[in-house]
Coordinates of all heavy atoms in Angstrom, one line a residue:
L1 N -2.9 -5.8 10.6 CA -3.4 -4.6 10.0 C -4.5 -4.8 9.0 O -5.4 -4.0 8.9 CB -2.2 -3.9 9.3 CG -1.1 -3.4 10.2 CD1 0.1 -2.8 9.3 CD2 -1.6 -2.3 11.1
V2 N -4.5 -5.9 8.3 CA -5.4 -6.1 7.2 C -6.8 -6.3 7.7 O -7.8 -6.0 7.0 CB -5.0 -7.4 6.4 CG1 -5.4 -8.7 7.0 CG2 -5.6 -7.3 5.0
N3 N -7.0 -6.7 8.9 CA -8.4 -6.8 9.5 C -8.9 -5.6 10.2 O -10.0 -5.6 10.8 CB -8.4 -8.0 10.5 CG -8.2 -9.3 9.8 OD1 -8.8 -9.6 8.7 ND2 -7.3 -10.2 10.3
M4 N -8.1 -4.5 10.2 CA -8.6 -3.2 10.8 C -9.2 -2.3 9.8 O -9.0 -2.4 8.6 CB -7.3 -2.5 11.4 CG -6.6 -3.2 12.5 SD -5.2 -2.3 13.0 CE -4.6 -3.4 14.3
S5 N -10.0 -1.4 10.3 CA -10.6 -0.4 9.4 C -9.4 0.6 9.0 O -8.4 0.5 9.7 CB -11.7 0.4 10.2 OG -11.0 1.2 11.2
E6 N -9.7 1.4 8.0 CA -8.6 2.3 7.6 C -8.2 3.3 8.7 O -6.9 3.5 8.9 CB -9.1 3.2 6.4 CG -8.0 3.8 5.6 CD -8.5 4.4 4.3 OE1 -9.5 3.9 3.7 OE2 -7.9 5.4 3.8
E7 N -9.1 3.8 9.5 CA -8.8 4.7 10.6 C -7.9 3.9 11.7 O -6.9 4.4 12.2 CB -10.0 5.2 11.3 CG -10.8 6.2 10.4 CD -11.6 5.4 9.4 OE1 -11.9 4.2 9.5 OE2 -12.0 6.0 8.3
E8 N -8.4 2.7 12.0 CA -7.7 1.9 13.0 C -6.2 1.6 12.5 O -5.3 1.6 13.3 CB -8.4 0.6 13.3 CG -9.7 0.7 14.1 CD -10.5 -0.6 14.1 OE1 -10.4 -1.4 13.2 OE2 -11.3 -0.8 15.1
R9 N -6.1 1.3 11.2 CA -4.8 0.9 10.7 C -3.9 2.1 10.8 O -2.7 1.9 11.1 CB -5.0 0.5 9.2 CG -3.8 -0.1 8.6 CD -4.1 -1.0 7.4 NE -4.9 -0.4 6.4 CZ -6.1 -0.8 6.0 NH1 -6.7 -1.8 6.5 NH2 -6.7 -0.1 5.0
E10 N -4.4 3.3 10.4 CA -3.5 4.5 10.5 C -3.1 4.8 11.9 O -1.9 5.1 12.2 CB -4.3 5.7 9.9 CG -4.3 5.7 8.4 CD -5.1 6.9 7.9 OE1 -5.3 7.9 8.6 OE2 -5.4 6.9 6.7
E11 N -4.0 4.6 12.8 CA -3.7 4.8 14.3 C -2.7 3.8 14.8 O -1.7 4.2 15.5 CB -5.0 4.7 15.1 CG -4.9 5.1 16.5 CD -4.5 6.6 16.7 OE1 -4.9 7.4 15.9 OE2 -3.7 6.8 17.6
E12 N -2.8 2.6 14.4 CA -1.9 1.5 14.9 C -0.5 1.8 14.3 O 0.5 1.6 15.0 CB -2.4 0.1 14.4 CG -1.6 -1.0 14.8 CD -1.4 -1.2 16.4 OE1 -2.3 -0.6 17.1 OE2 -0.5 -1.9 16.8
Q13 N -0.4 2.2 13.0 CA 0.9 2.4 12.4 C 1.6 3.6 13.0 O 2.8 3.6 13.2 CB 0.7 2.6 10.8 CG 0.3 1.3 10.1 CD 0.0 1.5 8.7 OE1 0.4 0.7 7.8 NE2 -0.5 2.7 8.3
K14 N 0.8 4.6 13.4 CA 1.4 5.8 14.1 C 1.9 5.3 15.5 O 3.0 5.7 15.9 CB 0.4 6.8 14.3 CG 0.2 7.8 13.1 CD -0.8 8.9 13.5 CE -1.3 9.6 12.2 NZ -2.4 10.5 12.5
K15 N 1.1 4.5 16.1 CA 1.5 4.0 17.5 C 2.8 3.2 17.5 O 3.6 3.4 18.4 CB 0.3 3.2 18.0 CG 0.5 2.6 19.4 CD -0.7 1.8 19.8 CE -0.4 0.8 20.9 NZ -1.6 0.0 21.2
I16 N 2.9 2.3 16.5 CA 4.1 1.4 16.5 C 5.3 2.0 15.8 O 6.4 1.5 15.8 CB 3.8 0.0 16.0 CG1 3.4 0.1 14.5 CG2 2.8 -0.7 16.8 CD1 3.2 -1.2 13.8
G17 N 5.1 3.1 15.0 CA 6.1 3.8 14.3 C 6.6 3.0 13.1 O 7.8 3.0 12.7
A18 N 5.7 2.2 12.5 CA 6.0 1.4 11.3 C 4.8 1.3 10.4 O 3.7 1.3 10.9 CB 6.5 0.1 11.6
V19 N 5.0 1.2 9.1 CA 3.9 1.1 8.2 C 3.9 -0.2 7.4 O 4.9 -0.9 7.4 CB 3.9 2.3 7.1 CG1 3.7 3.6 7.8 CG2 5.1 2.3 6.3
S20 N 2.7 -0.5 6.9 CA 2.6 -1.8 6.1 C 3.6 -1.7 4.9 O 3.8 -0.6 4.3 CB 1.2 -1.9 5.6 OG 1.1 -2.9 4.6
A21 N 4.2 -2.9 4.6 CA 5.1 -2.9 3.5 C 4.4 -3.4 2.2 O 5.0 -3.4 1.1 CB 6.2 -3.9 3.8
L22 N 3.1 -3.7 2.3 CA 2.4 -4.2 1.1 C 2.4 -3.3 -0.1 O 2.6 -3.8 -1.2 CB 0.9 -4.6 1.5 CG 0.8 -5.7 2.5 CD1 -0.7 -6.1 2.7 CD2 1.6 -6.9 2.2
P23 N 2.1 -2.0 0.1 CA 2.2 -1.1 -1.1 C 3.6 -1.2 -1.8 O 3.6 -1.3 -3.0 CB 1.9 0.3 -0.6 CG 1.1 0.0 0.7 CD 1.7 -1.2 1.2
K24 N 4.6 -1.1 -1.0 CA 6.0 -1.1 -1.6 C 6.3 -2.5 -2.3 O 6.9 -2.5 -3.4 CB 7.0 -1.0 -0.4 CG 8.5 -0.8 -0.9 CD 9.4 -0.6 0.3 CE 10.8 -0.4 -0.1 NZ 11.7 -0.2 1.0
I25 N 5.8 -3.6 -1.7 CA 6.0 -4.9 -2.3 C 5.2 -5.0 -3.6 O 5.8 -5.5 -4.6 CB 5.5 -6.0 -1.3 CG1 6.5 -6.1 -0.1 CG2 5.4 -7.3 -2.0 CD1 6.0 -6.9 1.0
T26 N 4.0 -4.5 -3.6 CA 3.2 -4.6 -4.9 C 3.9 -3.8 -6.0 O 4.0 -4.2 -7.1 CB 1.8 -4.1 -4.6 OG1 1.2 -4.8 -3.5 CG2 0.9 -4.4 -5.8
Q27 N 4.3 -2.6 -5.6 CA 4.9 -1.7 -6.6 C 6.2 -2.4 -7.2 O 6.5 -2.3 -8.3 CB 5.2 -0.3 -6.0 CG 3.9 0.5 -5.9 CD 4.1 1.7 -4.9 OE1 5.0 1.7 -4.0 NE2 3.3 2.7 -5.0
A28 N 7.0 -3.0 -6.3 CA 8.3 -3.6 -6.7 C 8.0 -4.8 -7.6 O 8.7 -5.0 -8.6 CB 9.0 -4.1 -5.4
G29 N 7.0 -5.6 -7.3 CA 6.7 -6.7 -8.2 C 6.2 -6.3 -9.5 O 6.7 -6.8 -10.6
Y30 N 5.4 -5.2 -9.6 CA 5.0 -4.6 -10.9 C 6.1 -4.1 -11.7 O 6.3 -4.4 -12.9 CB 4.0 -3.5 -10.5 CG 3.2 -2.9 -11.7 CD1 2.0 -3.5 -12.0 CD2 3.6 -1.8 -12.3 CE1 1.2 -3.0 -13.0 CE2 2.8 -1.2 -13.3 CZ 1.6 -1.9 -13.7 OH 0.8 -1.3 -14.7
A31 N 7.1 -3.4 -11.0 CA 8.2 -2.8 -11.7 C 9.2 -3.9 -12.2 O 9.8 -3.8 -13.2 CB 8.9 -1.9 -10.8
S32 N 9.3 -5.0 -11.4 CA 10.2 -6.1 -11.8 C 9.9 -6.8 -13.1 O 10.7 -7.3 -13.8 CB 10.3 -7.2 -10.6 OG 9.2 -8.0 -10.6
L33 N 8.6 -6.7 -13.4 CA 8.1 -7.3 -14.7 C 8.2 -6.3 -15.9 O 7.7 -6.6 -16.9 CB 6.6 -7.8 -14.5 CG 6.4 -8.8 -13.4 CD1 4.9 -9.1 -13.3 CD2 7.1 -10.1 -13.8
D34 N 8.8 -5.2 -15.6 CA 8.9 -4.1 -16.7 C 7.5 -3.6 -17.1 O 7.3 -3.3 -18.3 CB 9.7 -4.6 -17.9 CG 11.2 -4.7 -17.6 OD1 11.8 -3.7 -17.1 OD2 11.8 -5.8 -17.8
L35 N 6.6 -3.6 -16.2 CA 5.3 -3.1 -16.5 C 5.2 -1.6 -16.1 O 5.8 -1.1 -15.2 CB 4.2 -3.8 -15.6 CG 4.1 -5.3 -15.9 CD1 3.1 -6.0 -15.0 CD2 3.7 -5.6 -17.4
I36 N 4.5 -0.9 -17.0 CA 4.2 0.6 -16.8 C 2.7 0.7 -17.0 O 2.0 -0.2 -17.4 CB 5.0 1.5 -17.7 CG1 4.7 1.2 -19.1 CG2 6.5 1.4 -17.4 CD1 5.3 2.3 -20.1
R37 N 2.1 1.9 -16.7 CA 0.7 2.1 -17.0 C 0.5 3.5 -17.6 O 1.2 4.5 -17.4 CB -0.1 2.0 -15.7 CG 0.4 2.7 -14.5 CD 0.2 1.8 -13.3 NE 0.6 2.4 -12.0 CZ 1.8 2.1 -11.5 NH1 2.7 1.4 -12.1 NH2 2.1 2.6 -10.3
Y38 N -0.6 3.5 -18.4 CA -1.0 4.8 -18.9 C -2.5 5.0 -18.5 O -3.1 4.0 -18.0 CB -0.9 4.9 -20.4 CG -1.9 4.2 -21.3 CD1 -3.1 4.7 -21.7 CD2 -1.6 2.9 -21.7 CE1 -4.0 4.0 -22.5 CE2 -2.5 2.2 -22.5 CZ -3.7 2.7 -22.9 OH -4.6 2.0 -23.6
F39 N -3.0 6.2 -18.6 CA -4.4 6.4 -18.0 C -5.3 6.9 -19.1 O -4.9 7.6 -20.1 CB -4.3 7.5 -16.9 CG -3.3 7.2 -15.8 CD1 -2.1 7.8 -15.8 CD2 -3.7 6.3 -14.8 CE1 -1.2 7.5 -14.7 CE2 -2.8 6.0 -13.8 CZ -1.6 6.6 -13.7
T40 N -6.6 6.5 -19.0 CA -7.7 7.2 -19.7 C -8.6 7.8 -18.7 O -8.9 7.2 -17.6 CB -8.5 6.2 -20.6 OG1 -8.9 5.1 -19.8 CG2 -7.6 5.6 -21.7
C41 N -9.0 9.1 -18.9 CA -9.7 9.9 -17.9 C -10.9 10.5 -18.4 O -11.0 11.0 -19.6 CB -8.7 11.0 -17.4 SG -7.2 10.3 -16.7

């Protein structure tokens, strides 16, 4: 998936019926360290 364009990645994920776990993994690692974020806009 990582070597595909965004459109190709979305199409492939629909085709196989599964999505990348990387976003979930990154969020879990961030939360495990008791990190939060605030925004300046």
